[in-house]
PDB file of all heavy atoms in Angstrom:
ATOM      1  N   ILE A  17       5.822  14.360   7.742  1.00 82.00           N
ATOM      2  CA  ILE A  17       5.269  15.447   6.937  1.00 82.00           C
ATOM      3  C   ILE A  17       4.013  16.033   7.585  1.00 82.00           C
ATOM      4  O   ILE A  17       3.664  17.184   7.347  1.00 82.00           O
ATOM      5  CB  ILE A  17       4.984  14.976   5.502  1.00 82.00           C
ATOM      6  CG1 ILE A  17       4.839  16.186   4.589  1.00 82.00           C
ATOM      7  CG2 ILE A  17       3.743  14.120   5.427  1.00 82.00           C
ATOM      8  CD1 ILE A  17       5.077  15.894   3.148  1.00 82.00           C
ATOM      9  N   LEU A  18       3.344  15.260   8.424  1.00 83.00           N
ATOM     10  CA  LEU A  18       2.164  15.760   9.124  1.00 83.00           C
ATOM     11  C   LEU A  18       2.528  16.744  10.235  1.00 83.00           C
ATOM     12  O   LEU A  18       1.663  17.487  10.712  1.00 83.00           O
ATOM     13  CB  LEU A  18       1.369  14.597   9.708  1.00 83.00           C
ATOM     14  CG  LEU A  18       0.846  13.577   8.704  1.00 83.00           C
ATOM     15  CD1 LEU A  18       0.175  12.427   9.432  1.00 83.00           C
ATOM     16  CD2 LEU A  18      -0.096  14.227   7.733  1.00 83.00           C
ATOM     17  N   LEU A  19       3.784  16.790  10.650  1.00 89.00           N
ATOM     18  CA  LEU A  19       4.213  17.674  11.721  1.00 89.00           C
ATOM     19  C   LEU A  19       4.279  19.134  11.261  1.00 89.00           C
ATOM     20  O   LEU A  19       4.012  20.038  12.049  1.00 89.00           O
ATOM     21  CB  LEU A  19       5.587  17.230  12.238  1.00 89.00           C
ATOM     22  CG  LEU A  19       6.147  17.970  13.441  1.00 89.00           C
ATOM     23  CD1 LEU A  19       5.236  17.762  14.639  1.00 89.00           C
ATOM     24  CD2 LEU A  19       7.541  17.471  13.749  1.00 89.00           C
ATOM     25  N   PHE A  20       4.602  19.380  10.012  1.00 89.00           N
ATOM     26  CA  PHE A  20       4.764  20.753   9.533  1.00 89.00           C
ATOM     27  C   PHE A  20       3.468  21.564   9.556  1.00 89.00           C
ATOM     28  O   PHE A  20       3.493  22.723   9.979  1.00 89.00           O
ATOM     29  CB  PHE A  20       5.414  20.756   8.146  1.00 89.00           C
ATOM     30  CG  PHE A  20       6.838  20.294   8.194  1.00 89.00           C
ATOM     31  CD1 PHE A  20       7.198  19.068   7.687  1.00 89.00           C
ATOM     32  CD2 PHE A  20       7.816  21.080   8.775  1.00 89.00           C
ATOM     33  CE1 PHE A  20       8.505  18.625   7.754  1.00 89.00           C
ATOM     34  CE2 PHE A  20       9.125  20.659   8.850  1.00 89.00           C
ATOM     35  CZ  PHE A  20       9.483  19.418   8.337  1.00 89.00           C
ATOM     36  N   PRO A  21       2.314  21.034   9.142  1.00 91.00           N
ATOM     37  CA  PRO A  21       1.083  21.826   9.302  1.00 91.00           C
ATOM     38  C   PRO A  21       0.761  22.129  10.767  1.00 91.00           C
ATOM     39  O   PRO A  21       0.267  23.215  11.084  1.00 91.00           O
ATOM     40  CB  PRO A  21      -0.002  20.957   8.680  1.00 91.00           C
ATOM     41  CG  PRO A  21       0.710  20.030   7.772  1.00 91.00           C
ATOM     42  CD  PRO A  21       2.061  19.826   8.370  1.00 91.00           C
ATOM     43  N   VAL A  22       1.079  21.206  11.653  1.00 93.00           N
ATOM     44  CA  VAL A  22       0.827  21.430  13.075  1.00 93.00           C
ATOM     45  C   VAL A  22       1.720  22.564  13.586  1.00 93.00           C
ATOM     46  O   VAL A  22       1.273  23.438  14.330  1.00 93.00           O
ATOM     47  CB  VAL A  22       1.060  20.137  13.891  1.00 93.00           C
ATOM     48  CG1 VAL A  22       1.013  20.405  15.382  1.00 93.00           C
ATOM     49  CG2 VAL A  22       0.044  19.088  13.498  1.00 93.00           C
ATOM     50  N   ILE A  23       2.971  22.583  13.159  1.00 94.00           N
ATOM     51  CA  ILE A  23       3.883  23.649  13.567  1.00 94.00           C
ATOM     52  C   ILE A  23       3.376  24.998  13.059  1.00 94.00           C
ATOM     53  O   ILE A  23       3.371  25.991  13.790  1.00 94.00           O
ATOM     54  CB  ILE A  23       5.311  23.361  13.065  1.00 94.00           C
ATOM     55  CG1 ILE A  23       5.900  22.193  13.845  1.00 94.00           C
ATOM     56  CG2 ILE A  23       6.203  24.589  13.212  1.00 94.00           C
ATOM     57  CD1 ILE A  23       7.242  21.718  13.336  1.00 94.00           C
ATOM     58  N   TRP A  24       2.929  25.063  11.795  1.00 94.00           N
ATOM     59  CA  TRP A  24       2.415  26.317  11.248  1.00 94.00           C
ATOM     60  C   TRP A  24       1.162  26.780  11.984  1.00 94.00           C
ATOM     61  O   TRP A  24       0.984  27.976  12.225  1.00 94.00           O
ATOM     62  CB  TRP A  24       2.137  26.193   9.746  1.00 94.00           C
ATOM     63  CG  TRP A  24       3.385  26.387   8.941  1.00 94.00           C
ATOM     64  CD1 TRP A  24       4.029  25.449   8.207  1.00 94.00           C
ATOM     65  CD2 TRP A  24       4.147  27.585   8.821  1.00 94.00           C
ATOM     66  NE1 TRP A  24       5.138  25.987   7.630  1.00 94.00           N
ATOM     67  CE2 TRP A  24       5.242  27.303   7.989  1.00 94.00           C
ATOM     68  CE3 TRP A  24       4.014  28.873   9.335  1.00 94.00           C
ATOM     69  CZ2 TRP A  24       6.196  28.265   7.669  1.00 94.00           C
ATOM     70  CZ3 TRP A  24       4.971  29.822   9.010  1.00 94.00           C
ATOM     71  CH2 TRP A  24       6.039  29.513   8.182  1.00 94.00           C
ATOM     72  N   LEU A  25       0.281  25.858  12.355  1.00 95.00           N
ATOM     73  CA  LEU A  25      -0.906  26.238  13.118  1.00 95.00           C
ATOM     74  C   LEU A  25      -0.531  26.818  14.484  1.00 95.00           C
ATOM     75  O   LEU A  25      -1.128  27.789  14.945  1.00 95.00           O
ATOM     76  CB  LEU A  25      -1.837  25.043  13.302  1.00 95.00           C
ATOM     77  CG  LEU A  25      -2.620  24.614  12.054  1.00 95.00           C
ATOM     78  CD1 LEU A  25      -3.376  23.323  12.338  1.00 95.00           C
ATOM     79  CD2 LEU A  25      -3.567  25.703  11.633  1.00 95.00           C
ATOM     80  N   LEU A  26       0.478  26.228  15.123  1.00 96.00           N
ATOM     81  CA  LEU A  26       0.930  26.748  16.412  1.00 96.00           C
ATOM     82  C   LEU A  26       1.557  28.131  16.271  1.00 96.00           C
ATOM     83  O   LEU A  26       1.337  29.010  17.103  1.00 96.00           O
ATOM     84  CB  LEU A  26       1.924  25.780  17.046  1.00 96.00           C
ATOM     85  CG  LEU A  26       1.340  24.468  17.571  1.00 96.00           C
ATOM     86  CD1 LEU A  26       2.454  23.540  18.033  1.00 96.00           C
ATOM     87  CD2 LEU A  26       0.362  24.730  18.684  1.00 96.00           C
ATOM     88  N   VAL A  27       2.330  28.357  15.219  1.00 96.00           N
ATOM     89  CA  VAL A  27       2.952  29.653  14.993  1.00 96.00           C
ATOM     90  C   VAL A  27       1.889  30.720  14.730  1.00 96.00           C
ATOM     91  O   VAL A  27       1.915  31.810  15.311  1.00 96.00           O
ATOM     92  CB  VAL A  27       3.967  29.580  13.822  1.00 96.00           C
ATOM     93  CG1 VAL A  27       4.388  30.963  13.376  1.00 96.00           C
ATOM     94  CG2 VAL A  27       5.173  28.755  14.216  1.00 96.00           C
ATOM     95  N   ILE A  28       0.927  30.422  13.868  1.00 97.00           N
ATOM     96  CA  ILE A  28      -0.128  31.385  13.556  1.00 97.00           C
ATOM     97  C   ILE A  28      -0.995  31.642  14.790  1.00 97.00           C
ATOM     98  O   ILE A  28      -1.327  32.787  15.096  1.00 97.00           O
ATOM     99  CB  ILE A  28      -0.971  30.886  12.366  1.00 97.00           C
ATOM    100  CG1 ILE A  28      -0.117  30.904  11.093  1.00 97.00           C
ATOM    101  CG2 ILE A  28      -2.227  31.721  12.195  1.00 97.00           C
ATOM    102  CD1 ILE A  28      -0.761  30.221   9.909  1.00 97.00           C
ATOM    103  N   GLY A  29      -1.372  30.589  15.501  1.00 96.00           N
ATOM    104  CA  GLY A  29      -2.171  30.760  16.718  1.00 96.00           C
ATOM    105  C   GLY A  29      -1.432  31.560  17.780  1.00 96.00           C
ATOM    106  O   GLY A  29      -2.024  32.403  18.462  1.00 96.00           O
ATOM    107  N   GLY A  30      -0.137  31.328  17.932  1.00 95.00           N
ATOM    108  CA  GLY A  30       0.653  32.106  18.889  1.00 95.00           C
ATOM    109  C   GLY A  30       0.741  33.568  18.500  1.00 95.00           C
ATOM    110  O   GLY A  30       0.679  34.459  19.352  1.00 95.00           O
ATOM    111  N   GLY A  31       0.874  33.837  17.201  1.00 93.00           N
ATOM    112  CA  GLY A  31       0.922  35.222  16.732  1.00 93.00           C
ATOM    113  C   GLY A  31      -0.388  35.946  16.987  1.00 93.00           C
ATOM    114  O   GLY A  31      -0.401  37.101  17.431  1.00 93.00           O
ATOM    115  N   ILE A  32      -1.496  35.284  16.722  1.00 92.00           N
ATOM    116  CA  ILE A  32      -2.800  35.896  16.957  1.00 92.00           C
ATOM    117  C   ILE A  32      -3.010  36.136  18.457  1.00 92.00           C
ATOM    118  O   ILE A  32      -3.500  37.194  18.858  1.00 92.00           O
ATOM    119  CB  ILE A  32      -3.928  35.020  16.368  1.00 92.00           C
ATOM    120  CG1 ILE A  32      -3.866  35.073  14.840  1.00 92.00           C
ATOM    121  CG2 ILE A  32      -5.294  35.456  16.883  1.00 92.00           C
ATOM    122  CD1 ILE A  32      -4.822  34.128  14.148  1.00 92.00           C
TER     123      ILE A  32
END
Side-chain angles (χ1 to χ4, degrees):
I17 198 158
L18 300 176
L19 185 63
F20 292 108
V22 171
I23 289 174
W24 277 112
L25 286 173
L26 289 174
V27 167
I28 292 170
I32 290 173

